[in-house]
Amino acid sequence: MTWRCVACAALLLPLFAQAKNPFAGRWDLTMKTASETYPDWVEITEDNAATVQLRTGSILPPKDVKAANGKLTITFRSGMEWQLSVSGDQMTGTEQRKGADYASISG
């Protein structure tokens, strides 16, 4: 009986050892431009699907979401792009418009 418990534990161990997606969760964000500071939020699933709500209350569906090298890039149909990273429980990044930094992101 004991060997069966050990065998089951050995088979299940990789499931528990997998790293969680550090971006997954609901993030309350502070957007800071040269002239103003305002709230937005983003919700990211384990498989990097994202929902973004702007300060206007509108949901902005992303065109594309990609994770690579510890960074998450969310691209919108308007050409706006968020480049995000996570350290512990803090998300930081930049919002770019037309290839130039527009706002800093923290949350």
Side-chain angles (χ1 to χ4, degrees), residues 31-106:
M31 313 295 283
K32 187 178 281 190
T33 70
S35 61
E36 61 183 335
T37 300
Y38 54 90
D40 280 350
W41 67 256
V42 63
E43 186 169 0
I44 302 167
T45 63
E46 285 291 331
D47 61 349
N48 289 327
T51 301
V52 176
Q53 183 172 0
L54 304 177
R55 64 181 165 165
T56 60
S58 299
I59 299 293
L60 184 62
K63 176 181 174 185
D64 191 33
V65 180
K66 290 184 182 175
N69 302 321
K71 302 238 183 245
L72 187 74
T73 302
I74 303 175
T75 306
F76 302 91
R77 297 190 196 308
S78 65
M80 178 175 66
E81 185 175 275
W82 287 5
Q83 297 177 0
L84 306 167
S85 60
V86 170
S87 179
D89 64 352
Q90 293 293 309
M91 178 177 280
T92 58
T94 58
E95 177 182 313
Q96 294 190 333
R97 295 184 183 187
K98 298 182 182 176
D101 287 353
Y102 178 78
S104 65
I105 302 172
S106 62

